[in-house]
Amino acid sequence: MQAQKSPGSRHIRNDFAPDVVQQAVEWILALQDAQQPQKIRADIANWCAASPEHLQAWQQVEQLSGRFGLLANPEHAQLAQDTLTATSPSRRTVLKGFSAILIASSVAYVSRESGLIRQWQSDIHTATGEQRKLTLNNGTTVVLNSNTAIQLDDSHSTLSLLEGEIHVSSKANGDEPISLLSPNGHIQLSPGSRLALRQFKDNCRLAVYEGEARLRPAQASNSCLISAGQATRFTAHEWSPLTAVRQDEAAWIDGMIVVRDMPLAEFIAELQRYRPGILRLDPSLAAYPVSGTYPISQTDQVLEALSDALPIRQRRVTRYWITLLPV
């Protein structure tokens, strides 16, 4: 379907309802991977005809896709959704994200051929489903989980988590302890400590497995000492009461998800972190408990195992768009 562009369609509107934009992005993904595109185009036409907002959202998502080629990669679909629904300050941030992707795309060939990518080692990131292990100059080991971005200072004594999740092991006899920064606060590791730090939308979760770490929220005057076996969530202003942490929570560094009676909705949200595209769950299935050990790199097999163990079935529009439904 070739939607007609309105005179102002070159300007990005950013006040669409989130569910409308989500559907428009899903149509793009479905169209790009469809074995029967004519049926998808007919469905899109019907959807656009149902509402002027549907048509305008489709036009702008299609425009972004055609102009930048971004939505051909499901990992970038969320950027399109955020661009069309964000308020002005965060919209500028999201548009900077588009620019970063465009720059990365344009220099990808040159980087592969000339080794320029090595110049970017102070700005390290992983894609969906990718993990990466680093050893810093001071001997600290850092593992980046899926969709994670970090920055390092020149001395490697301070690491900033921009998004995602990291697992950090500080050297037992290190002369200079490493510091971790996030948008929510500052963490000082003691020598020989091992911890995981995960950035959520408006807070962080810190889990200490060995040693100890001192946490100071960004806008707080006091700090908290977190010892081995303890975890907390914290914002820029405060931390939550300490809770116990399981050692197998860090199984992701070995490529596994280990869960015990986790509600299916939460499990699917975890699995989605490692799988590009759209993975939806019918709300009626949300409370089913899931236990076991599941490989991060084999999400298709994990979904098959869930279908065998629980009364659910998969509806696949494309390989990037799956909905789990009751049998």
Side-chain angles (χ1 to χ4, degrees), residues 106-131:
S106 65
V107 303
Y109 175 80
V110 176
S111 297
R112 286 196 301 270
E113 296 301 315
S114 66
L116 293 178
I117 194 69
R118 289 192 294 272
Q119 299 179 12
W120 299 352
Q121 288 180 350
S122 63
D123 186 10
I124 304 165
H125 65 275
T126 54
T128 300
E130 179 188 7
Q131 294 179 336

PDB file of all heavy atoms in Angstrom, residues 106-131:
ATOM      1  N   SER A 106      26.060   4.446   8.181  1.00  0.00           N
ATOM      2  CA  SER A 106      26.825   4.998   7.073  1.00  0.00           C
ATOM      3  C   SER A 106      28.302   4.663   7.154  1.00  0.00           C
ATOM      4  O   SER A 106      28.990   4.625   6.138  1.00  0.00           O
ATOM      5  CB  SER A 106      26.643   6.522   7.031  1.00  0.00           C
ATOM      6  OG  SER A 106      27.201   7.109   8.192  1.00  0.00           O
ATOM      7  N   VAL A 107      28.831   4.450   8.382  1.00  0.00           N
ATOM      8  CA  VAL A 107      30.258   4.162   8.500  1.00  0.00           C
ATOM      9  C   VAL A 107      30.539   2.687   8.725  1.00  0.00           C
ATOM     10  O   VAL A 107      31.683   2.294   8.905  1.00  0.00           O
ATOM     11  CB  VAL A 107      30.897   4.975   9.647  1.00  0.00           C
ATOM     12  CG1 VAL A 107      30.677   6.455   9.452  1.00  0.00           C
ATOM     13  CG2 VAL A 107      30.361   4.532  10.993  1.00  0.00           C
ATOM     14  N   ALA A 108      29.487   1.868   8.715  1.00  0.00           N
ATOM     15  CA  ALA A 108      29.689   0.448   9.047  1.00  0.00           C
ATOM     16  C   ALA A 108      30.699  -0.202   8.101  1.00  0.00           C
ATOM     17  O   ALA A 108      31.594  -0.925   8.542  1.00  0.00           O
ATOM     18  CB  ALA A 108      28.359  -0.295   8.985  1.00  0.00           C
ATOM     19  N   TYR A 109      30.548   0.068   6.788  1.00  0.00           N
ATOM     20  CA  TYR A 109      31.451  -0.557   5.836  1.00  0.00           C
ATOM     21  C   TYR A 109      32.884  -0.085   6.056  1.00  0.00           C
ATOM     22  O   TYR A 109      33.823  -0.878   6.094  1.00  0.00           O
ATOM     23  CB  TYR A 109      31.006  -0.245   4.410  1.00  0.00           C
ATOM     24  CG  TYR A 109      31.966  -0.770   3.378  1.00  0.00           C
ATOM     25  CD1 TYR A 109      31.938  -2.111   3.013  1.00  0.00           C
ATOM     26  CD2 TYR A 109      32.906   0.075   2.780  1.00  0.00           C
ATOM     27  CE1 TYR A 109      32.828  -2.596   2.066  1.00  0.00           C
ATOM     28  CE2 TYR A 109      33.794  -0.412   1.845  1.00  0.00           C
ATOM     29  CZ  TYR A 109      33.750  -1.745   1.488  1.00  0.00           C
ATOM     30  OH  TYR A 109      34.634  -2.218   0.571  1.00  0.00           O
ATOM     31  N   VAL A 110      33.048   1.244   6.228  1.00  0.00           N
ATOM     32  CA  VAL A 110      34.383   1.795   6.439  1.00  0.00           C
ATOM     33  C   VAL A 110      34.994   1.236   7.715  1.00  0.00           C
ATOM     34  O   VAL A 110      36.177   0.903   7.769  1.00  0.00           O
ATOM     35  CB  VAL A 110      34.321   3.335   6.502  1.00  0.00           C
ATOM     36  CG1 VAL A 110      35.689   3.911   6.816  1.00  0.00           C
ATOM     37  CG2 VAL A 110      33.791   3.886   5.188  1.00  0.00           C
ATOM     38  N   SER A 111      34.178   1.104   8.763  1.00  0.00           N
ATOM     39  CA  SER A 111      34.685   0.597  10.034  1.00  0.00           C
ATOM     40  C   SER A 111      35.200  -0.822   9.882  1.00  0.00           C
ATOM     41  O   SER A 111      36.250  -1.182  10.414  1.00  0.00           O
ATOM     42  CB  SER A 111      33.579   0.647  11.090  1.00  0.00           C
ATOM     43  OG  SER A 111      33.180   1.979  11.318  1.00  0.00           O
ATOM     44  N   ARG A 112      34.455  -1.640   9.158  1.00  0.00           N
ATOM     45  CA  ARG A 112      34.874  -3.034   8.989  1.00  0.00           C
ATOM     46  C   ARG A 112      36.176  -3.115   8.204  1.00  0.00           C
ATOM     47  O   ARG A 112      37.037  -3.948   8.478  1.00  0.00           O
ATOM     48  CB  ARG A 112      33.773  -3.826   8.265  1.00  0.00           C
ATOM     49  CG  ARG A 112      32.567  -4.128   9.120  1.00  0.00           C
ATOM     50  CD  ARG A 112      31.733  -5.216   8.458  1.00  0.00           C
ATOM     51  NE  ARG A 112      31.285  -4.839   7.123  1.00  0.00           N
ATOM     52  CZ  ARG A 112      30.141  -4.218   6.873  1.00  0.00           C
ATOM     53  NH1 ARG A 112      29.351  -3.872   7.860  1.00  0.00           N
ATOM     54  NH2 ARG A 112      29.795  -3.922   5.640  1.00  0.00           N
ATOM     55  N   GLU A 113      36.317  -2.224   7.219  1.00  0.00           N
ATOM     56  CA  GLU A 113      37.464  -2.310   6.343  1.00  0.00           C
ATOM     57  C   GLU A 113      38.727  -1.653   6.921  1.00  0.00           C
ATOM     58  O   GLU A 113      39.831  -2.086   6.652  1.00  0.00           O
ATOM     59  CB  GLU A 113      37.123  -1.662   4.985  1.00  0.00           C
ATOM     60  CG  GLU A 113      36.030  -2.381   4.221  1.00  0.00           C
ATOM     61  CD  GLU A 113      36.382  -3.822   3.921  1.00  0.00           C
ATOM     62  OE1 GLU A 113      37.515  -4.077   3.495  1.00  0.00           O
ATOM     63  OE2 GLU A 113      35.514  -4.690   4.149  1.00  0.00           O
ATOM     64  N   SER A 114      38.550  -0.589   7.719  1.00  0.00           N
ATOM     65  CA  SER A 114      39.711   0.184   8.154  1.00  0.00           C
ATOM     66  C   SER A 114      40.020   0.063   9.629  1.00  0.00           C
ATOM     67  O   SER A 114      41.031   0.572  10.096  1.00  0.00           O
ATOM     68  CB  SER A 114      39.485   1.655   7.819  1.00  0.00           C
ATOM     69  OG  SER A 114      38.413   2.171   8.585  1.00  0.00           O
ATOM     70  N   GLY A 115      39.126  -0.570  10.415  1.00  0.00           N
ATOM     71  CA  GLY A 115      39.376  -0.699  11.844  1.00  0.00           C
ATOM     72  C   GLY A 115      39.065   0.542  12.636  1.00  0.00           C
ATOM     73  O   GLY A 115      39.477   0.659  13.789  1.00  0.00           O
ATOM     74  N   LEU A 116      38.304   1.485  12.050  1.00  0.00           N
ATOM     75  CA  LEU A 116      37.965   2.705  12.787  1.00  0.00           C
ATOM     76  C   LEU A 116      37.112   2.434  14.008  1.00  0.00           C
ATOM     77  O   LEU A 116      37.064   3.249  14.927  1.00  0.00           O
ATOM     78  CB  LEU A 116      37.225   3.679  11.860  1.00  0.00           C
ATOM     79  CG  LEU A 116      38.044   4.272  10.721  1.00  0.00           C
ATOM     80  CD1 LEU A 116      37.155   5.178   9.880  1.00  0.00           C
ATOM     81  CD2 LEU A 116      39.236   5.038  11.258  1.00  0.00           C
ATOM     82  N   ILE A 117      36.450   1.286  14.013  1.00  0.00           N
ATOM     83  CA  ILE A 117      35.597   0.969  15.157  1.00  0.00           C
ATOM     84  C   ILE A 117      36.396   0.943  16.451  1.00  0.00           C
ATOM     85  O   ILE A 117      35.853   1.165  17.535  1.00  0.00           O
ATOM     86  CB  ILE A 117      34.878  -0.392  14.929  1.00  0.00           C
ATOM     87  CG1 ILE A 117      33.738  -0.598  15.932  1.00  0.00           C
ATOM     88  CG2 ILE A 117      35.854  -1.538  15.020  1.00  0.00           C
ATOM     89  CD1 ILE A 117      32.581   0.315  15.739  1.00  0.00           C
ATOM     90  N   ARG A 118      37.692   0.682  16.389  1.00  0.00           N
ATOM     91  CA  ARG A 118      38.511   0.635  17.608  1.00  0.00           C
ATOM     92  C   ARG A 118      38.585   1.996  18.281  1.00  0.00           C
ATOM     93  O   ARG A 118      38.861   2.092  19.466  1.00  0.00           O
ATOM     94  CB  ARG A 118      39.914   0.126  17.263  1.00  0.00           C
ATOM     95  CG  ARG A 118      39.950  -1.350  16.913  1.00  0.00           C
ATOM     96  CD  ARG A 118      41.390  -1.848  16.863  1.00  0.00           C
ATOM     97  NE  ARG A 118      42.142  -1.234  15.776  1.00  0.00           N
ATOM     98  CZ  ARG A 118      42.185  -1.726  14.538  1.00  0.00           C
ATOM     99  NH1 ARG A 118      41.519  -2.828  14.237  1.00  0.00           N
ATOM    100  NH2 ARG A 118      42.901  -1.127  13.592  1.00  0.00           N
ATOM    101  N   GLN A 119      38.334   3.059  17.522  1.00  0.00           N
ATOM    102  CA  GLN A 119      38.362   4.395  18.096  1.00  0.00           C
ATOM    103  C   GLN A 119      37.177   4.638  19.016  1.00  0.00           C
ATOM    104  O   GLN A 119      37.145   5.632  19.743  1.00  0.00           O
ATOM    105  CB  GLN A 119      38.381   5.441  16.975  1.00  0.00           C
ATOM    106  CG  GLN A 119      39.596   5.346  16.073  1.00  0.00           C
ATOM    107  CD  GLN A 119      39.549   6.383  14.962  1.00  0.00           C
ATOM    108  OE1 GLN A 119      38.743   7.304  14.987  1.00  0.00           O
ATOM    109  NE2 GLN A 119      40.426   6.218  13.981  1.00  0.00           N
ATOM    110  N   TRP A 120      36.199   3.765  18.967  1.00  0.00           N
ATOM    111  CA  TRP A 120      34.984   3.973  19.740  1.00  0.00           C
ATOM    112  C   TRP A 120      34.956   3.104  20.996  1.00  0.00           C
ATOM    113  O   TRP A 120      33.896   2.859  21.558  1.00  0.00           O
ATOM    114  CB  TRP A 120      33.759   3.638  18.894  1.00  0.00           C
ATOM    115  CG  TRP A 120      33.627   4.477  17.670  1.00  0.00           C
ATOM    116  CD1 TRP A 120      34.363   5.569  17.331  1.00  0.00           C
ATOM    117  CD2 TRP A 120      32.715   4.266  16.602  1.00  0.00           C
ATOM    118  NE1 TRP A 120      33.963   6.057  16.128  1.00  0.00           N
ATOM    119  CE2 TRP A 120      32.949   5.283  15.647  1.00  0.00           C
ATOM    120  CE3 TRP A 120      31.707   3.327  16.351  1.00  0.00           C
ATOM    121  CZ2 TRP A 120      32.225   5.384  14.478  1.00  0.00           C
ATOM    122  CZ3 TRP A 120      30.993   3.430  15.189  1.00  0.00           C
ATOM    123  CH2 TRP A 120      31.245   4.451  14.256  1.00  0.00           C
ATOM    124  N   GLN A 121      36.065   2.594  21.456  1.00  0.00           N
ATOM    125  CA  GLN A 121      36.064   1.658  22.576  1.00  0.00           C
ATOM    126  C   GLN A 121      35.624   2.287  23.889  1.00  0.00           C
ATOM    127  O   GLN A 121      35.314   1.571  24.838  1.00  0.00           O
ATOM    128  CB  GLN A 121      37.457   1.034  22.726  1.00  0.00           C
ATOM    129  CG  GLN A 121      37.771   0.052  21.611  1.00  0.00           C
ATOM    130  CD  GLN A 121      39.146  -0.560  21.754  1.00  0.00           C
ATOM    131  OE1 GLN A 121      39.949  -0.131  22.573  1.00  0.00           O
ATOM    132  NE2 GLN A 121      39.424  -1.567  20.956  1.00  0.00           N
ATOM    133  N   SER A 122      35.604   3.603  23.965  1.00  0.00           N
ATOM    134  CA  SER A 122      35.104   4.235  25.174  1.00  0.00           C
ATOM    135  C   SER A 122      33.589   4.369  25.168  1.00  0.00           C
ATOM    136  O   SER A 122      33.001   4.844  26.122  1.00  0.00           O
ATOM    137  CB  SER A 122      35.731   5.628  25.346  1.00  0.00           C
ATOM    138  OG  SER A 122      35.353   6.456  24.269  1.00  0.00           O
ATOM    139  N   ASP A 123      32.945   3.939  24.101  1.00  0.00           N
ATOM    140  CA  ASP A 123      31.487   3.968  23.983  1.00  0.00           C
ATOM    141  C   ASP A 123      31.068   2.609  23.444  1.00  0.00           C
ATOM    142  O   ASP A 123      30.957   2.410  22.248  1.00  0.00           O
ATOM    143  CB  ASP A 123      31.056   5.094  23.047  1.00  0.00           C
ATOM    144  CG  ASP A 123      29.545   5.256  22.994  1.00  0.00           C
ATOM    145  OD1 ASP A 123      28.838   4.633  23.810  1.00  0.00           O
ATOM    146  OD2 ASP A 123      29.061   5.995  22.127  1.00  0.00           O
ATOM    147  N   ILE A 124      30.832   1.665  24.331  1.00  0.00           N
ATOM    148  CA  ILE A 124      30.652   0.261  23.970  1.00  0.00           C
ATOM    149  C   ILE A 124      29.197  -0.121  24.161  1.00  0.00           C
ATOM    150  O   ILE A 124      28.576   0.242  25.157  1.00  0.00           O
ATOM    151  CB  ILE A 124      31.557  -0.637  24.838  1.00  0.00           C
ATOM    152  CG1 ILE A 124      33.015  -0.193  24.688  1.00  0.00           C
ATOM    153  CG2 ILE A 124      31.401  -2.108  24.461  1.00  0.00           C
ATOM    154  CD1 ILE A 124      33.937  -0.760  25.738  1.00  0.00           C
ATOM    155  N   HIS A 125      28.663  -0.871  23.199  1.00  0.00           N
ATOM    156  CA  HIS A 125      27.272  -1.280  23.307  1.00  0.00           C
ATOM    157  C   HIS A 125      27.066  -2.668  22.718  1.00  0.00           C
ATOM    158  O   HIS A 125      27.896  -3.155  21.946  1.00  0.00           O
ATOM    159  CB  HIS A 125      26.349  -0.275  22.598  1.00  0.00           C
ATOM    160  CG  HIS A 125      26.571  -0.219  21.117  1.00  0.00           C
ATOM    161  ND1 HIS A 125      27.534   0.574  20.541  1.00  0.00           N
ATOM    162  CD2 HIS A 125      25.941  -0.850  20.092  1.00  0.00           C
ATOM    163  CE1 HIS A 125      27.500   0.433  19.228  1.00  0.00           C
ATOM    164  NE2 HIS A 125      26.543  -0.438  18.934  1.00  0.00           N
ATOM    165  N   THR A 126      25.958  -3.286  23.096  1.00  0.00           N
ATOM    166  CA  THR A 126      25.576  -4.578  22.545  1.00  0.00           C
ATOM    167  C   THR A 126      24.195  -4.466  21.908  1.00  0.00           C
ATOM    168  O   THR A 126      23.373  -3.652  22.326  1.00  0.00           O
ATOM    169  CB  THR A 126      25.532  -5.667  23.636  1.00  0.00           C
ATOM    170  OG1 THR A 126      24.674  -5.231  24.705  1.00  0.00           O
ATOM    171  CG2 THR A 126      26.918  -5.947  24.181  1.00  0.00           C
ATOM    172  N   ALA A 127      23.948  -5.295  20.922  1.00  0.00           N
ATOM    173  CA  ALA A 127      22.654  -5.333  20.249  1.00  0.00           C
ATOM    174  C   ALA A 127      21.729  -6.325  20.957  1.00  0.00           C
ATOM    175  O   ALA A 127      22.108  -6.991  21.922  1.00  0.00           O
ATOM    176  CB  ALA A 127      22.846  -5.738  18.790  1.00  0.00           C
ATOM    177  N   THR A 128      20.512  -6.442  20.468  1.00  0.00           N
ATOM    178  CA  THR A 128      19.564  -7.392  21.034  1.00  0.00           C
ATOM    179  C   THR A 128      20.107  -8.809  20.899  1.00  0.00           C
ATOM    180  O   THR A 128      20.486  -9.244  19.807  1.00  0.00           O
ATOM    181  CB  THR A 128      18.209  -7.295  20.322  1.00  0.00           C
ATOM    182  OG1 THR A 128      17.688  -5.974  20.484  1.00  0.00           O
ATOM    183  CG2 THR A 128      17.220  -8.300  20.889  1.00  0.00           C
ATOM    184  N   GLY A 129      20.154  -9.526  22.022  1.00  0.00           N
ATOM    185  CA  GLY A 129      20.641 -10.897  22.027  1.00  0.00           C
ATOM    186  C   GLY A 129      22.140 -11.036  22.097  1.00  0.00           C
ATOM    187  O   GLY A 129      22.660 -12.147  22.215  1.00  0.00           O
ATOM    188  N   GLU A 130      22.868  -9.932  22.046  1.00  0.00           N
ATOM    189  CA  GLU A 130      24.325  -9.966  22.087  1.00  0.00           C
ATOM    190  C   GLU A 130      24.822  -9.730  23.503  1.00  0.00           C
ATOM    191  O   GLU A 130      24.268  -8.925  24.249  1.00  0.00           O
ATOM    192  CB  GLU A 130      24.905  -8.897  21.161  1.00  0.00           C
ATOM    193  CG  GLU A 130      26.429  -8.829  21.155  1.00  0.00           C
ATOM    194  CD  GLU A 130      26.976  -7.644  20.394  1.00  0.00           C
ATOM    195  OE1 GLU A 130      26.175  -6.781  19.969  1.00  0.00           O
ATOM    196  OE2 GLU A 130      28.216  -7.557  20.244  1.00  0.00           O
ATOM    197  N   GLN A 131      25.886 -10.417  23.879  1.00  0.00           N
ATOM    198  CA  GLN A 131      26.570 -10.179  25.141  1.00  0.00           C
ATOM    199  C   GLN A 131      28.060 -10.003  24.865  1.00  0.00           C
ATOM    200  O   GLN A 131      28.581 -10.531  23.884  1.00  0.00           O
ATOM    201  CB  GLN A 131      26.335 -11.322  26.124  1.00  0.00           C
ATOM    202  CG  GLN A 131      24.876 -11.437  26.562  1.00  0.00           C
ATOM    203  CD  GLN A 131      24.640 -12.593  27.522  1.00  0.00           C
ATOM    204  OE1 GLN A 131      25.390 -13.555  27.544  1.00  0.00           O
ATOM    205  NE2 GLN A 131      23.590 -12.496  28.315  1.00  0.00           N
TER     206      GLN A 131
END
